[in-house]
Amino acid sequence: MKSQVLTGEHFINGDEACAEGAIAAGCKFFGGYPITPATEVAEQMSVRLPHVGGTFIQMEDEIAAMTSILGAAWAGFKTMTATSGPGFSLMMETVGLAVVTETPCVVVNVQRAGPSTGLPTQGAQGDMMQARWGSHGDYEIIALAPSSPQEMFDLTITAFNLSEKYRTPVFIMSDEIVGHMSEKVIIPEGRKIKTFSRVKPTGRKDRFKPFQPGPLGVAPMPAIGDGYNVHVTGLTHNEKGYPVMSVDIQKEMMERLLGKIRNNLDDIILTEDYRLKDAEIVLVSYGVSARTAYTAVEEARAMGIRMGLLRLITVWPFPEQRIRDLAKKVKGFITVEINMGQISREVQRCAGIVPSFIAGHTGGAVVPPDDVLKIAKEFLA
Amino acid sequence: MKKNETEIMAHPLEDLVRMERIPHIWCPGCGIGSVFTSCLSAIKQSNIPYNQFTMVSGIGCSGRGAGYINIDSFHTTHGRAIPFASGIKMARPDLNVIVFSGDGDLFAIGGNHFIHAARRNMDMTVVCVNNLTYGMTGGQVAATTPHKAKSATTAAGNSETPFNLPLLAYASGATYVARWTMLHARDLADSIQEAIQRRGFSFIEVLSPCPINYGRRNKEKTLETLKKYHENTIVKNGANPAELDVDFNKGVILGKFIDIDRPTCDELYRKMYWPQEQGTAENRKTG
């Protein structure tokens, strides 16, 4: 059997690295639909999955792609799909089904400039709020933002692990630039890659409740055919999984769904500090924009401006407390992102009275470091 | 009086029903319960262990079917039962997958998925309860509502033309196509059993009354509908799918129309894509 993990040094693009990360994490099912600039993820998965005993299927649209991975997840497998803005929009209703049925799966969004068909071949970060609020109703979600092909590999594994641990869909919020950028990607030996698989139930099958929280607020998850006779519905349901149309059960279910994320923030939230210790101006950035932000920090420091960077690896749940803590000691925040104000609003919300700006861009290109420096200089003047 | 005379006998299908969820939501005079019973009978008489089955439903009155069967069952989003079921089937070809849903769910919002699953010969049994309307939302016009029939959104009658579902299924590539009414309980159960035990995409349309939201508007009482099912239908196995429009004035044709054997989607995928050594149980372990 061909090795599941392609250990070694590779020169591959972000989309391919994402697919390799999925394989290394133990993904066995991919339901896809072609869309620029995420197509390479599907292509790579179609080639790789059969060699690891997995299944690739190209569905008739993104709704079907997203739905198929939920079915396959309940069949007992780690599953993934990948898309970009228009497909992400189509998947949104099913994302809600995944949240409420607590179905682990990974959804990759290689963002392009929107709205609508927009700039299919050019990057943006305009779907960040859609990732948070795109499906109807109230919920918590996990979203990670890779800044390099290496992180497309690493964070895809993290996404699977979080997804399996918390029984929730996890987004990889990438973008065209990182997706199509080729860099060195180091794939470690399989045995050195930490992977986590969903906890399976034990004990009496007739008494099992598929939505009764265990440790971390998460219930064990059986696969179809294990004999637990589970019923799974998108309707508001009790711990047994049966629909109950009541305010009380809605509250109980929602508190559990929200709680399993909100009560485990320290485990879920990943950030990286860069020259933050003495910073008076803090850049907040993620994904490809963080690369711009590094450059901006270097150039600002060369000019004598004490600038630092908080890079969000986990974008959702948002690291609110971290921003609040920083706000106590810095002069201002600048959020660097390829949109006209999404994560910057979260930063502003948490910054309180500390001034908060955006170095944004309408999409199709990165934010030039000069734009960041200009805002910083004007603010300090 | 002896003790056992006072005891209520268990329903013969009770082991397949989530009894704690009874009573069900279906209205008096509704036909879905009868179709559901035929479906359970088919499962039982197939003698296949229950844990080798799974049922997937979409949204609507018929979509509640998955909530009452006591096997692993999924009540998904509107129109998406088939892609959910396709994910299950491709991941676990050993499972016997039944989609139980309504005409609105399967053929309006979910129409695209239906034709593609049929084209792929996805190995599943699709039971469509066709009550000619959107029952749960109060009787709006459907893709199956007869021309000129009244509905909540066609007060002066339906100006559109309905689908001929068996023709659509056949044209899309379904390898088993049948139609019954809920009154033909035994034929229906046998047909579903046959579909379960064969390979490939099987489609069974079941005509079923919605007296509250369709019957009342069209001045048709449940018993009249059943009488039509009895008197204005003819069983014609192998009938030409093009002649299967639902028109009770002409007479509605029932029976098994298509039964072709061809390799399924999962069989062909594994044959063409999996290297020899991947077929082992070891590599198909879940988790």
Side-chain angles (χ1 to χ4, degrees):
Chain A
M1 185 176 155
K2 206 167 164 184
S3 170
Q4 306 213 347
V5 180
L6 296 185
T7 304
E9 287 186 15
H10 304 266
F11 186 68
I12 53 178
N13 73 28
D15 283 356
E16 292 164 330
C18 173
E20 291 305 331
I23 297 291
C27 178
K28 289 284 191 285
F29 185 94
F30 187 99
Y33 188 81
I35 188 167
T36 306
T39 305
E40 293 87 342
V41 182
E43 288 178 351
Q44 186 73 2
M45 290 302 275
S46 77
V47 172
R48 291 283 281 129
L49 273 171
H51 292 284
V52 297
T55 302
F56 170 90
I57 185 165
Q58 184 171 312
M59 296 299 285
E60 52 273 15
D61 57 30
E62 287 93 343
I63 301 172
M66 180 70 210
T67 314
S68 73
I69 70 169
L70 301 193
W74 277 97
F77 295 94
K78 293 185 184 179
T79 68
M80 182 167 93
T81 188
T83 189
S84 189
F88 201 52
S89 294
L90 286 177
M91 289 177 181
M92 278 300 139
E93 185 193 10
T94 316
V95 167
L97 181 68
V99 168
V100 86
T101 58
E102 302 184 56
T103 308
C105 58
V106 173
V107 179
V108 182
N109 180 353
V110 187
Q111 297 171 86
R112 62 196 226 186
S116 191
T117 313
L119 300 172
T121 59
Q122 290 163 263
Q125 295 175 312
D127 307 346
M128 300 309 295
M129 277 294 171
Q130 187 181 22
R132 178 65 188 85
W133 300 111
S135 198
H136 57 278
D138 211 2
Y139 59 95
E140 287 285 348
I141 199 85
I142 299 175
L144 311 177
S147 290
S148 63
Q150 180 68 53
E151 278 199 340
M152 287 289 269
F153 176 85
D154 297 338
L155 293 184
T156 300
I157 296 169
T158 308
F160 272 100
N161 291 347
L162 289 171
S163 166
E164 294 284 317
K165 191 170 180 181
Y166 293 102
R167 272 185 69 178
T168 184
V170 175
F171 295 137
I172 295 283
M173 296 301 289
S174 182
D175 57 80
E176 185 276 333
I177 305 159
V178 170
H180 282 168
M181 166 196 297
S182 288
E183 281 185 340
K184 183 164 86 173
V185 173
I186 298 169
I187 299 182
E189 285 176 52
R191 62 186 172 86
K192 289 186 178 159
I193 296 171
K194 272 191 196 163
T195 61
F196 185 89
S197 298
R198 66 197 70 169
V199 176
K200 290 265 203 166
T202 50
R204 281 187 59 166
K205 292 186 174 175
D206 56 333
R207 289 193 188 159
F208 175 68
K209 293 179 177 174
F211 301 96
Q212 184 177 48
L216 300 173
V218 184
M221 181 175 169
I224 300 169
D226 284 352
Y228 288 89
N229 289 348
V230 296
H231 179 58
V232 176
T233 176
L235 286 165
T236 294
H237 48 267
N238 60 20
E239 291 179 345
K240 179 74 183 162
Y242 290 173
V244 183
M245 301 299 100
S246 91
V247 174
D248 291 344
I249 295 295
Q250 167 77 2
K251 184 165 179 283
E252 184 186 299
M253 181 188 81
M254 285 304 297
E255 284 178 350
R256 184 166 46 76
L257 288 178
L258 300 175
K260 70 180 181 182
I261 307 287
R262 290 182 181 176
N263 300 331
N264 295 296
L265 295 178
D266 290 346
D267 184 45
I268 299 168
I269 292 178
L270 303 166
T271 58
E272 184 186 83
D273 294 3
Y274 182 65
R275 305 190 78 168
L276 265 187
K277 261 191 181 150
D278 63 339
E280 52 184 357
I281 293 193
V282 172
L283 305 184
V284 180
S285 195
Y286 54 91
V288 70
S289 293
R291 300 170 75 111
T292 297
Y294 280 119
T295 309
V297 169
E298 291 306 308
E299 290 180 5
R301 291 269 173 180
M303 282 185 262
I305 301 171
R306 283 187 288 132
M307 190 181 270
L309 166 66
L310 175 69
R311 182 164 77 91
L312 311 182
I313 297 168
T314 303
V315 176
W316 304 117
F318 188 70
E320 297 179 0
Q321 196 52 49
R322 193 69 212 286
I323 302 291
R324 289 202 179 98
D325 291 344
L326 283 167
K328 289 174 193 155
K329 52 184 187 185
V330 304
K331 284 187 180 167
F333 292 96
I334 303 172
T335 303
V336 188
E337 56 182 348
I338 312 176
N339 61 57
M340 296 310 281
Q342 296 197 14
I343 297 303
S344 63
R345 296 182 188 208
E346 288 291 281
V347 175
Q348 196 166 33
R349 178 172 69 80
C350 300
I353 55 165
V354 177
S356 173
F357 307 91
I358 177 175
H361 192 288
T362 51
V366 293
V367 179
D370 284 353
D371 289 9
V372 182
L373 295 173
K374 188 164 169 260
I375 292 167
K377 279 190 273 185
E378 280 172 11
F379 171 58
L380 292 172
Chain B
M1 199 159 55
K2 285 178 201 160
K3 188 169 171 265
N4 61 5
E5 282 175 336
T6 63
E7 283 174 4
I8 299 166
M9 273 179 66
H11 189 280
L13 294 169
E14 213 172 277
D15 55 343
L16 268 170
V17 177
R18 296 181 189 273
M19 293 304 290
E20 66 271 37
R21 295 215 58 225
I22 300 299
H24 55 66
I25 63 151
W26 297 315
C27 303
C30 171
I32 299 170
S34 305
V35 183
F36 189 63
T37 301
S38 291
C39 191
L40 301 187
S41 302
I43 291 171
K44 189 153 202 162
Q45 69 203 28
S46 75
N47 286 321
I48 298 168
Y50 293 162
N51 70 355
Q52 290 175 21
F53 284 97
T54 184
M55 182 181 277
V56 186
S57 291
I59 295 293
C61 295
S62 304
R64 292 301 184 98
Y68 299 121
I69 188 168
N70 194 24
I71 59 173
D72 292 317
S73 56
F74 299 88
H75 181 222
T76 62
T77 45
H78 197 17
R80 318 302 169 203
I82 287 177
F84 196 100
S86 300
I88 295 173
K89 187 68 202 184
M90 290 305 285
R92 285 281 303 279
D94 57 307
L95 292 168
N96 212 314
V97 183
I98 300 171
V99 170
F100 188 93
S101 218
D103 50 301
D105 187 75
L106 289 167
F107 289 100
I109 189 166
N112 194 32
H113 309 309
F114 180 89
I115 59 174
H116 284 277
R119 171 182 64 78
R120 295 181 177 114
N121 198 25
M122 192 62 77
D123 185 15
M124 59 174 67
T125 299
V126 178
V127 179
C128 172
V129 182
N130 182 4
N131 60 8
L132 313 175
T133 191
Y134 284 89
M136 185 161 273
T137 47
Q140 295 75 28
V141 71
T144 46
T145 305
H147 180 53
K148 291 185 178 170
K150 290 193 168 64
S151 78
T153 46
T154 55
N158 183 14
S159 58
E160 300 178 10
T161 306
F163 271 134
N164 168 347
L165 298 181
L167 176 62
L168 178 66
Y170 170 64
S172 306
T175 48
Y176 181 99
V177 180
R179 173 197 277 156
W180 297 101
T181 81
M182 45 68 72
L183 194 65
H184 297 75
R186 293 268 165 87
D187 297 303
L188 175 58
D190 291 346
S191 182
I192 297 173
Q193 185 195 344
E194 188 176 31
I196 285 169
Q197 289 179 317
R198 67 184 293 286
R199 66 172 180 173
F201 186 88
S202 303
F203 171 62
I204 299 161
E205 177 189 13
V206 193
L207 296 167
S208 177
C210 176
I212 307 294
N213 284 319
Y214 182 84
R216 274 196 307 196
R217 273 194 190 86
N218 291 287
K219 307 217 176 332
E220 188 178 300
K221 295 204 167 78
T222 306
L223 282 177
E224 290 166 8
T225 310
L226 297 191
K227 209 172 163 195
K228 284 199 314 192
Y229 288 172
H230 183 58
E231 292 175 358
N232 297 17
T233 57
I234 177 167
V235 177
K236 203 168 144 191
N237 292 322
N240 177 358
E243 292 165 4
L244 297 174
D245 290 314
V246 176
D247 182 347
F248 281 99
N249 296 323
K250 281 196 321 194
V252 172
I253 299 171
L254 310 177
K256 179 170 81 173
F257 313 122
I258 305 294
D259 189 355
I260 311 160
D261 185 51
R262 72 176 164 95
T264 65
C265 191
D266 63 277
E267 286 169 352
L268 288 171
Y269 180 77
R270 278 162 179 72
K271 194 174 160 198
M272 293 174 69
Y273 281 88
W274 276 16
Q276 206 69 44
E277 72 271 25
Q278 294 300 335
T280 61
E282 180 62 23
N283 290 327
R284 294 303 300 158
K285 266 195 212 155
T286 60

